[in-house]
Amino acid sequence: MAARPISVRLSEDMLSAMDHYLASPDAAATIRTRTQLIQAALEMWLQADEAARIDAAIVAGYTRFPPDPAEDAEFLRISNRAQQALEDW
């Protein structure tokens, strides 16, 4: 995918914090420039946002269709029987 430049304005405090991170031993070995740091931070944020949306969808699903203890017990019974059959084989 082709990269396109964008213009971003950052405060002096933020630039100083970025430079401090880049100069520290804690800096990731693959992140050497401000651009790489901004890209990595944005990628991490986008991944966290996607994970949060997936989590919210899972919670909504369980809220809409709560677990049924009877179904869970039946699944466990069948699973245990299958495991026992494998062990006996």
Side-chain angles (χ1 to χ4, degrees), residues 79-89:
S79 176
N80 285 340
R81 191 166 62 191
Q83 182 65 35
Q84 184 63 44
L86 287 173
E87 289 173 2
D88 291 343
W89 191 73

Side-chain angles (χ1 to χ4, degrees), residues 15-67:
L15 290 171
S16 177
M18 290 172 65
D19 291 342
H20 179 62
Y21 171 78
L22 290 169
S24 75
D26 296 332
T30 58
I31 300 175
R32 294 189 175 96
T33 67
R34 290 175 174 174
T35 298
Q36 290 173 335
L37 183 56
I38 291 169
Q39 289 170 335
L42 183 56
E43 183 65 31
M44 287 173 57
W45 181 80
L46 291 171
Q47 288 173 357
D49 184 64
E50 175 69 10
R53 284 190 281 121
I54 291 169
D55 288 348
I58 291 170
V59 169
Y62 276 102
T63 301
R64 188 170 175 201
F65 300 102

Side-chain angles (χ1 to χ4, degrees), residues 1 25 38 66 68:
M1 182 188 313
I38 291 169
D68 180 348

